[in-house]
C-alpha cells in the first residue's frame, strides 16, 4: 500500500517563522501549502502557494475540504511592535482568522494536528520566570485575542479529542524579522549611527527572553512531526538578555566608532522556562540572540553597500 505524503499547511508563510520553517521542510517528503494574500497562486519547488484571506471562511473551508490537511501551523496574525499603541487593531480580525482556520481544519480532517502559535505577552507576570502552568492575563486587545483563541481551541480539544497544541513564543529574531520590531530597528540605527535612538533604548533598560528564530522554528518542526499532543508548550531561551548588551555587542563585534551612553542596569524582564520543550522534543538552542542581532546588522550593511554600488 502506497503511503501518502502528509499535507502540511502554514499560515503566515511569508513572515519570519514561516520562511524559516518552509526552508526547514524543503527536504521533507510532504506536500507543503502556504496560505497567503499573494497576488496569484503559484507552485515552486514542490511548495504550493494558495491565495486566500483567512477572514474568508467559505474559501478556507472549500480549500481544506478538497485538500484535507494533516498538519496545520497557524502563524498568521497582526502583531504589535515596540512602541505601537493601537492594540484594538489586533483583536477582532485576528480572532476571526484563527477560528476560521481552526474549525476548517477539523471539519476537513478530524485526525489533523493543529499548532497555534501564541505570545509571551499573555502572562500575568511581567518579570521573573513563567512556565506552561503560569497564570494568564489579557492586558490588551492583542493579549485578549491570544488568550480567547487558545481557550476556545482547548475547549474544542477536550470535547472532540483532537490534536491541538498552543505554542507560546518568546522574542526571537533573524534576518527575516520584520523591520518594525526592536532588534532590526536597533541594527539599522547602528548602521546609520543614530545615537539618539540608541541612547533612548539604553535608557529604557529593556531586558527580555530573546532567542535566535532558527532555534525556535526547529522546535516547531519537531512538534509538528511528533506524537505529542500537549495543550501548551513554551519555546524560549530560558535566559534574560539586555538590549543594552546587544547594542554593545554589535558595536564591538564590528569595531564601529559609535559613541553611546552605555550603562549597566539591573536586568528585569520575563523569562520562559523551556524545560518541557527540551525534555519532550529532545531540543536545545544552538545559537543565541547575539548571533541573530549581528546577522541582521550584516544583512542591512550588505543591502546598503549594494544600493550604494547601484547608484554609481
Amino acid at each position: 500500500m502506497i503511503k501518502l505524503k502528509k499535507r502540511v499547511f502554514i499560515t503566515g508563510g511569508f513572515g519570519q517563522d514561516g520562511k524559516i520553517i518552509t526552508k526547514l521542510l524543503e527536504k521533507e517528503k510532504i506536500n507543503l501549502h502556504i496560505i497567503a494574500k499573494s497576488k496569484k497562486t503559484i507552485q515552486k519547488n514542490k511548495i504550493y502557494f494558495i491565495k486566500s484571506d483567512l477572514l474568508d471562511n467559505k474559501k478556507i473551508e472549500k480549500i481544506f475540504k478538497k485538500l484535507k490537511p494533516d498538519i496545520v501551523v497557524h502563524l498568521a496574525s497582526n502583531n504589535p511592535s515596540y512602541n505601537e499603541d493601537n492594540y484594538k487593531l489586533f483583536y477582532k480580525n485576528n480572532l476571526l482568522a484563527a477560528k476560521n482556520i481552526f474549525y476548517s481544519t477539523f471539519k476537513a480532517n478530524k485526525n489533523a494536528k493543529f499548532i497555534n502559535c501564541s505570545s509571551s505577552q499573555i502572562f500575568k507576570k511581567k518579570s521573573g520566570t513563567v512556565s506552561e502552568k503560569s497564570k494568564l492575563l489579557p492586558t490588551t486587545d492583542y493579549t485578549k485575542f491570544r488568550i480567547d483563541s487558545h481557550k476556545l481551541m482547548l475547549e474544542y480539544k477536550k470535547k472532540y479529542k483532537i490534536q491541538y497544541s498552543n505554542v507560546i513564543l518568546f522574542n526571537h529574531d533573524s534576518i527575516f524579522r520584520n523591520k518594525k520590531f526592536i532588534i532590526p530597528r536597533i541594527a539599522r540605527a547602528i548602521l546609520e549611527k543614530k545615537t539618539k535612538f540608541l541612547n533612548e533604548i539604553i535608557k529604557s533598560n529593556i531586558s527580555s527572553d530573546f532567542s535566535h528564530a532558527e532555534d525556535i522554528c526547529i522546535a516547531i518542526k519537531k512538534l509538528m512531526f511528533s506524537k505529542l499532543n500537549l495543550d501548551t508548550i513554551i519555546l524560549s531561551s530560558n535566559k534574560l538578555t539586555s538590549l543594552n548588551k546587544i547594542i554593545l555587542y554589535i558595536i564591538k563585534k564590528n569595531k564601529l566608532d559609535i559613541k553611546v551612553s552605555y550603562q549597566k542596569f539591573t536586568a528585569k524582564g520575563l523569562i520562559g522556562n523551556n524545560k518541557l520543550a527540551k525534555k519532550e522534543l529532545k531540543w536545545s538552542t544552538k545559537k543565541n540572540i547575539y548571533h541573530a542581532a549581528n546577522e541582521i546588522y550584516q544583512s542591512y550593511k550588505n543591502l546598503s553597500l549594494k544600493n550604494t554600488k547601484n547608484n554609481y
Side-chain angles (χ1 to χ4, degrees):
M1 185 176 179
I2 299 173
K3 189 175 181 180
L4 297 176
K5 291 181 180 179
K6 285 188 178 293
R7 291 189 174 96
V8 177
F9 283 73
I10 297 176
T11 68
F14 294 152
Q16 170 186 255
D17 295 352
K19 288 178 180 176
I20 297 173
I21 293 172
T22 297
K23 188 173 181 62
L24 293 173
L25 294 175
E26 281 180 351
K27 295 181 180 180
E28 298 293 332
K29 294 181 179 179
I30 60 172
N31 286 322
L32 180 59
H33 302 262
I34 307 296
I35 301 177
K37 291 181 180 179
S38 53
K39 294 182 179 179
K40 60 181 180 179
T41 303
I42 60 174
Q43 179 183 344
K44 182 181 179 183
N45 298 329
K46 298 180 181 179
I47 301 172
Y48 302 86
F49 293 89
I50 299 172
K51 179 185 175 183
S52 182
D53 190 330
L54 296 183
L55 298 176
D56 188 344
N57 188 44
K58 288 184 178 180
K59 188 170 183 179
I60 294 297
E61 280 194 358
K62 184 178 180 181
I63 292 167
F64 277 26
K65 185 178 180 180
K66 179 181 178 181
L67 299 174
K68 299 190 184 309
D70 295 300
I71 301 171
V72 177
V73 180
H74 182 45
L75 295 166
S77 71
N78 287 319
N79 301 330
S81 62
Y82 172 72
N83 251 3
E84 196 165 359
D85 295 324
N86 197 355
Y87 282 76
K88 289 184 178 180
L89 292 170
F90 303 106
Y91 181 77
K92 186 178 178 181
N93 286 352
N94 277 339
L95 183 60
L96 182 57
K99 288 167 70 175
N100 287 347
I101 198 79
F102 178 76
Y103 291 129
S104 294
T105 296
F106 295 106
K107 281 183 180 179
N109 181 9
K110 64 180 181 180
N111 296 316
K113 185 170 191 174
F114 192 93
I115 296 173
N116 183 55
C117 293
S118 186
S119 165
S120 61
Q121 295 179 44
I122 64 176
F123 289 108
K124 182 178 181 180
K125 286 177 69 173
K126 300 305 174 188
S127 185
T129 302
V130 289
S131 72
E132 287 81 2
K133 295 180 180 179
S134 295
K135 292 182 179 180
L136 310 180
L137 182 67
T139 52
T140 65
D141 286 283
Y142 176 72
T143 54
K144 187 176 186 300
F145 141 66
R146 288 298 189 189
I147 293 170
D148 287 354
S149 59
H150 172 53
K151 185 178 178 181
L152 70 87
M153 291 173 187
L154 195 57
E155 287 175 353
Y156 191 92
K157 176 180 181 177
K158 291 176 180 177
K159 185 175 181 179
Y160 295 104
K161 310 299 180 186
I162 59 162
Q163 295 184 79
Y164 159 72
S165 293
N166 190 46
V167 181
I168 301 177
L169 303 175
F170 280 67
N171 298 290
H172 54 290
D173 293 81
S174 73
I175 59 171
F176 302 114
R177 184 67 151 160
N178 190 299
K179 63 183 180 180
K180 75 176 185 176
F181 289 97
I182 187 62
I183 290 182
R185 289 174 66 184
I186 285 172
R188 185 172 290 279
I190 291 173
L191 179 66
E192 297 173 358
K193 296 186 177 182
K194 293 183 177 180
T195 55
K196 182 179 178 181
F197 174 77
L198 295 173
N199 284 325
E200 286 175 357
I201 296 297
I202 290 170
K203 190 176 179 181
S204 297
N205 186 30
I206 300 167
S207 295
S208 191
D209 186 322
F210 291 103
S211 298
H212 196 297
E214 188 175 314
D215 281 334
I216 300 303
C217 291
I218 287 171
I220 293 173
K221 181 191 172 186
K222 282 178 172 285
L223 181 62
M224 289 168 64
F225 297 100
S226 75
K227 293 182 180 179
L228 296 171
N229 192 17
L230 301 166
D231 290 345
T232 306
I233 186 168
I234 285 175
L235 297 181
S236 65
S237 71
N238 196 28
K239 296 177 183 177
L240 194 63
T241 305
S242 166
L243 285 182
N244 297 2
K245 288 186 177 181
I246 292 173
I247 291 171
L248 193 64
Y249 176 83
I250 297 174
I251 291 172
K252 286 188 173 182
K253 176 75 175 177
N254 296 281
K255 298 178 181 179
L256 303 173
D257 184 21
I258 299 177
K259 300 292 189 295
V260 292
S261 302
Y262 181 77
Q263 301 175 53
K264 286 187 177 181
F265 294 96
T266 302
K268 292 182 180 180
L270 197 66
I271 300 172
N273 185 328
N274 63 13
K275 288 183 180 179
L276 181 65
K278 284 186 172 182
K279 178 184 176 182
E280 297 295 338
L281 296 174
K282 294 179 174 55
W283 164 80
S284 62
T285 56
K286 304 297 182 184
K287 300 182 179 182
N288 61 45
I289 191 58
Y290 295 106
H291 294 134
N294 194 56
E295 287 165 7
I296 294 168
Y297 169 78
Q298 288 296 332
S299 70
Y300 284 159
K301 180 181 176 182
N302 292 338
L303 182 62
S304 178
L305 289 172
K306 183 179 178 180
N307 290 338
T308 301
K309 288 179 180 178
N310 289 338
N311 288 333
Y312 285 96

